[in-house]
Amino acid sequence: MADYYETLGISRDASPEDVKKAYRKMAHKYHPDKQGGDEEKFKEVNEAYQVLGDEEKRRQYEQFGQTFEGTGAGPFGGENININFEDLGGIGDIFETFFGGGGRSRTRQRVRRGNDVPVDMIISFSESATGVQREITHRIYQTCSHCQGNGAEPGTPIETCATCSGTGVITQSRSTPLGVFSQQSVCPTCQGEGKQAKTVCSECGGQGRELKDRTLTVDVPAGIADGQTIRISGKGEVPARGGIPGDLFVTIHVASDKYMRREGNNVVSEATIPFTDAILGTNISVKTLAGDKEITIASGTQPETTVRLQGQGFPSLSGSGRGDHIVTVHIDIPRKLSRKQKELLEEFKKSKKKGLFG
C-alpha cells in the first residue's frame, strides 16, 4: 500500500493547509484531462487527500495504516470485512456487518453548505432604540456570474466523473489484524455529484463561485442591545460547485452616550441640582431618547431621589412593552459660602429650632 504522505510529497507533520496545497498542486499536475496527465496517479492523489485531508481519517491512518500491512486473515475465518465507517449508525449495524447480513453499503447524498460569515456593525445609542437600516459592503464568495454555479465553461458539456465513475463515492481498503476494512467516502474530485465539467469555467476555475464585493442592507430592529447578533439566513458564503449558502451573522456594537446608559430596557441618567432647588423645588431639562424633556423636581427632594419617566426607555425586541427612563437626582452642597449666605443659613437654623419651619 502506498504511503499517502509520499503520494502528496509532504512530511508527516504537515499542517492541514500544507496538505490542501500539496493536493491542489498534484491534482493539477496529473489531471487526466490535461496534456501529459496520468489518470492512475490522479486517483492516487485523490485517495491520499481524502484521508489526510480529514482529521479523523488521518488519525486512523497514522494509527493503523502503516503498522498492519498485507492481507493476513483476521479472526473471522480470513474473510474480508466490509465496514462503512460513515454509515454505521450504532451497535446494531456493527453486529449485522460482522455476523451475517452482508453489511450495508449506503451512500449518503450530502448537500454542501457554504461557510457562515461574521461581520460587525457600529450604531449609535439612539439608533439602538429606534432601529436603523445600514448598508454593509464586504468581499464574499458568491455564485459565479459566468457559469451560474455549475463550474463549466458555458456551452461545454458536463461529463461523468473519472475518479468515481459517476457513483459520487470512492472506496478505500485497509488491512488490519481484524481483516480488510473498506471505507466509503465522498469522491474528492466531484464532491459526490458523480459528474464534472469537461472544460472548467474560465472565470472561477470550476469552483462555481467567485470572490467579489457585495453591498447588503441590514435592518437593525429597535431595542437591540450592544453585543447582540442578527442572523440573516442564506446570506453567507456560497459553497463550491453549488449547494446551500451559509448564513450572515451581524454583531451589533452600540456606541456609548455621554448622558445616558442602558440597564435592561430602562434608560438611566443623572441630574445634579443646587441644594436650594432641592428645598424649594424646580423644573430641569434632561436628555432622553426622544430629545430634551422637562421634568419637575418636587420641593424637599432628598439626595439620590429617582424620577421615573414611564415608557421613555427601550422598546422590547419581542414587540411588547417598553422600558422607563430613570433619573437619579444628586444634590450639590457648596463647599464655600459668602458671609451673607452663612448669615442666612444661621438664621434658617435658628428658625428651625424655634419651630418656624416644618
Side-chain angles (χ1 to χ4, degrees):
M1 183 174 66
D3 187 311
Y4 291 147
Y5 288 99
E6 291 182 2
T7 299
L8 293 182
I10 56 177
S11 62
R12 300 186 74 83
D13 60 352
S15 67
E17 187 61 30
D18 291 335
V19 173
K20 184 180 295 185
K21 289 180 180 179
Y23 164 69
R24 289 174 177 172
K25 179 180 178 181
M26 301 296 278
H28 179 73
K29 179 179 180 181
Y30 293 117
H31 198 286
D33 289 343
K34 182 182 177 182
Q35 186 175 4
D38 188 320
E39 184 172 350
E40 290 303 317
K41 286 281 190 182
F42 183 71
K43 289 182 178 180
E44 291 176 7
V45 168
N46 276 298
E47 181 179 340
Y49 178 67
Q50 187 63 27
V51 175
L52 300 185
D54 183 282
E55 183 179 349
E56 180 62 28
K57 294 176 185 177
R58 183 175 180 178
R59 183 164 52 248
Q60 292 176 1
Y61 174 70
E62 291 177 345
Q63 186 174 0
F64 300 111
Q66 295 300 310
T67 305
F68 308 107
E69 291 201 14
T71 56
F76 297 97
E79 295 182 353
N80 291 344
I81 303 169
N82 182 17
I83 297 181
N84 186 338
F85 287 102
E86 287 192 342
D87 291 333
L88 288 180
I91 193 67
D93 289 324
I94 297 176
F95 272 92
E96 181 179 357
T97 301
F98 278 104
F99 301 110
R104 290 182 289 176
S105 179
R106 298 171 294 169
T107 301
R108 293 177 181 171
Q109 185 177 4
R110 298 187 297 179
V111 178
R112 289 186 296 277
R113 184 178 183 278
N115 293 328
D116 294 330
V117 177
V119 297
D120 295 281
M121 179 183 293
I122 300 175
I123 63 176
S124 69
F125 191 82
S126 60
E127 286 173 337
S128 69
T130 60
V132 67
Q133 278 192 338
R134 186 69 59 80
E135 286 189 344
I136 58 171
T137 300
H138 58 160
R139 292 186 68 78
I140 187 174
Y141 277 110
Q142 301 174 69
T143 300
C144 177
S145 56
H146 188 62
C147 69
Q148 304 304 315
N150 66 10
E153 185 68 17
T156 63
I158 297 178
E159 302 179 331
T160 299
C161 176
T163 302
C164 65
S165 300
T167 63
V169 296
I170 59 173
T171 302
Q172 301 165 350
S173 297
R174 188 172 297 114
S175 298
T176 77
L178 299 178
V180 177
F181 287 77
S182 295
Q183 182 177 0
Q184 195 177 75
S185 55
V186 175
C187 175
T189 303
C190 67
Q191 300 299 316
E193 293 182 2
K195 55 187 178 180
Q196 60 183 152
K198 181 177 182 180
T199 304
V200 298
C201 174
S202 58
E203 294 296 323
C204 66
Q207 291 296 302
R209 63 179 185 173
E210 56 185 337
L211 189 62
K212 57 183 180 180
D213 290 337
R214 178 184 70 180
T215 298
L216 187 70
T217 300
V218 177
D219 289 313
V220 181
I224 196 164
D226 182 62
Q228 289 186 312
T229 297
I230 302 170
R231 177 180 181 176
I232 306 177
S233 298
K235 293 300 182 180
E237 283 189 355
V238 171
R241 285 181 292 192
I244 301 174
D247 297 335
L248 180 69
F249 290 86
V250 184
T251 299
I252 301 298
H253 302 279
V254 180
S256 60
D257 186 86
K258 183 178 180 181
Y259 302 100
M260 299 173 283
R261 67 179 187 277
R262 181 172 181 169
E263 291 184 1
N265 282 339
N266 291 331
V267 174
V268 176
S269 65
E270 299 177 346
T272 301
I273 61 174
F275 78 101
T276 50
D277 285 345
I279 296 171
L280 300 174
T282 187
N283 290 329
I284 62 172
S285 178
V286 296
K287 292 188 178 297
T288 72
L289 293 174
D292 292 346
K293 186 177 181 64
E294 189 174 87
I295 62 174
T296 298
I297 304 297
S299 60
T301 292
Q302 300 300 304
E304 313 309 309
T305 294
T306 58
V307 178
R308 184 179 292 266
L309 306 178
Q310 297 285 346
Q312 297 294 308
F314 283 87
S316 171
L317 279 176
S318 64
S320 59
R322 193 179 186 103
D324 301 330
H325 187 139
I326 303 170
V327 182
T328 300
V329 180
H330 303 292
I331 309 299
D332 182 25
I333 307 296
R335 295 180 180 275
K336 294 182 179 182
L337 296 172
S338 66
R339 178 178 298 179
K340 182 62 175 178
Q341 289 171 332
K342 288 181 179 180
E343 291 175 355
L344 290 172
L345 286 174
E346 286 293 341
E347 185 178 343
F348 173 79
K349 183 177 179 182
K350 292 176 182 179
S351 62
K352 179 75 171 174
K353 289 181 179 180
K354 293 179 180 179
L356 296 179
F357 296 90

